[in-house]
Amino acid sequence: MTEIGYTVSSEEHGPNELVEHAVRAEEVGFEFASISDHFHPWVGQQGNAPFVWSTLGGIAQATDDLPVGVGVNCPIMRIHPVNVAHAAATAATMFEGDFFLGVGTGERLNEHVTGEHWPEHSVRLEMLEEAIEIIRKLWQGGQQSYYGDHFTVENARLFTLPEEPPDIVVSAFGDTAARAAAELGDGFWSVGPQDVIETWEDAGGEGPRYSQMTVCYAEDEEDAIDTAHEWWPNSALTGELNSQLPTPTHFEQACEMVTREDIAEGNIITDPNPETHIENLEGFADAGYDHVYVHQIGPDQESFFQFYEEEVLPEVA
């Protein structure tokens, strides 16, 4: 049975709003939430990028038992893996087991800010493997050291640990990364229905399978298309631009090529008919995903919550 979650979109909302959104998501019946970890928004219009670990503390205190995961953190550049291990252990303790850590090789947009060289994907994948090993070692407790090709850890010990370590769910968008995710992770993470889930399964991948469905709900579809084009034009960018462009300004320049028609014909669901949403959720399930988190684009989250509470969630429960 597929669980339906909600995307706590850090790029579009401030931290207090994000906490309120997580509370509303639990109230209307979403079964989990995913929160993005960004240093920058994709484009300036989105306007936000609060520190995810601070926001998680607020969500943990404001919700009752809503499982929440970071989707996804890049533990290889901007934040050293010892700090990710520390932050995630604290979050898992606060959520009392209802926390999971999504990790991936990141985007230049967020990770280059410390001035370190942005390596090619194969190197970032090596770094991710070491980072996951470090995180798991620290979660075992006791004093730990690690000497790898990319990271060094000396005499580190986490004193605040959850009763059980959280799942580490690895993001993948290509066959090489999918095979690595099968080897390294406790589950699979993607944005949109990725065919590489089959590669992950063939490589022995086991555990929960997460994917995001992006929507822009409004009573009028034309209004929804306008909102999506204004707030999330980056969805129409193809190829490796999302991982390679360094600043929101560069994304804005690239998005000048994105037309309203691109949004209307793209992968954002703008149809206000609940059957369209239900059918697409079922499509994710048919593709092999057992957790689908829904991202509502734009400022109007409350209309979306009411729509899903009344029209969509009861039909997919």
Side-chain angles (χ1 to χ4, degrees):
M1 182 176 178
T2 300
E3 294 188 13
I4 309 302
Y6 169 75
T7 300
V8 183
S9 181
S10 296
E11 298 85 0
E12 299 171 85
H13 310 282
N16 294 330
E17 290 178 292
L18 296 175
V19 173
E20 294 170 359
H21 295 166
V23 171
R24 284 291 289 136
E26 185 174 38
E27 288 174 350
V28 305
F30 284 100
E31 296 168 280
F32 71 97
S34 163
I35 183 167
S36 50
D37 177 11
H38 267 228
F39 190 88
H40 293 135
W42 297 104
V43 295
Q45 174 66 23
Q46 293 162 4
N48 280 284
F51 191 51
V52 67
W53 301 105
S54 302
T55 306
L56 280 166
I59 293 173
Q61 291 302 296
T63 56
D64 292 325
D65 56 5
L66 179 72
V68 179
V70 176
V72 297
N73 168 269
C74 176
I76 64 172
M77 291 188 66
R78 171 172 50 102
I79 305 180
H80 192 282
V82 297
N83 295 320
V84 174
H86 191 188
T90 299
T93 301
M94 295 185 73
F95 279 95
E96 298 181 340
D98 287 332
F99 174 79
F100 48 99
L101 175 63
V103 298
T105 54
E107 303 97 8
R108 190 178 181 188
L109 172 71
N110 299 302
E111 306 307 322
H112 82 290
V113 294
T114 60
E116 294 182 55
H117 169 67
W118 177 246
E120 63 183 46
H121 182 261
S122 61
V123 176
R124 303 202 312 273
L125 201 54
E126 292 174 4
M127 296 172 73
L128 181 63
E129 181 175 358
E130 286 193 14
I132 291 173
E133 185 175 353
I134 289 167
I135 292 167
R136 286 204 168 111
K137 282 173 70 72
L138 288 169
W139 286 350
Q140 292 172 7
Q143 185 168 289
Q144 302 288 349
S145 295
Y146 180 90
Y147 301 92
D149 293 331
H150 301 285
F151 298 108
T152 297
V153 178
E154 290 188 349
N155 307 328
R157 178 181 176 185
L158 296 181
F159 281 83
T160 298
L161 289 167
E163 291 185 6
E164 296 290 335
D167 283 345
I168 297 178
V169 185
V170 179
S171 173
F173 295 95
D175 288 335
T176 300
R179 286 188 286 268
E183 178 183 354
L184 302 173
D186 303 312
F188 179 84
W189 199 299
S190 77
V191 177
Q194 300 288 327
D195 294 337
V196 291
I197 191 172
E198 297 179 5
T199 303
W200 176 78
E201 291 173 339
D202 291 342
E206 296 181 349
R209 288 148 289 171
Y210 294 86
S211 193
Q212 177 172 276
M213 187 174 88
T214 303
V215 311
C216 188
Y217 171 75
E219 292 185 4
D220 181 79
E221 183 168 16
E222 298 303 312
D223 290 342
I225 294 170
D226 289 340
T227 298
H229 185 241
E230 179 181 3
W231 287 85
W232 212 260
N234 47 289
S235 67
L237 298 180
T238 59
E240 297 184 24
L241 287 176
N242 283 331
S243 66
Q244 296 299 328
L245 295 179
T247 70
T249 299
H250 287 89
F251 273 92
E252 290 164 11
Q253 291 168 354
C255 287
E256 289 178 3
M257 299 181 291
V258 175
T259 67
R260 190 178 179 281
E261 288 69 31
D262 292 329
I263 298 298
E265 297 171 3
N267 57 12
I268 298 173
I269 298 169
T270 55
D271 185 353
N273 185 339
E275 288 301 320
T276 301
H277 294 250
I278 294 165
E279 289 172 4
N280 276 272
L281 288 169
E282 291 173 345
F284 277 84
D286 292 342
Y289 294 96
D290 53 22
H291 291 74
V292 183
Y293 49 106
V294 185
H295 172 206
Q296 161 71 356
I297 292 170
D300 185 5
Q301 299 293 301
E302 185 54 37
S303 294
F304 162 82
F305 281 132
Q306 293 178 14
F307 171 64
Y308 262 66
E309 181 179 27
E310 297 169 3
E311 304 287 346
V312 179
L313 294 179
E315 302 301 321
V316 294

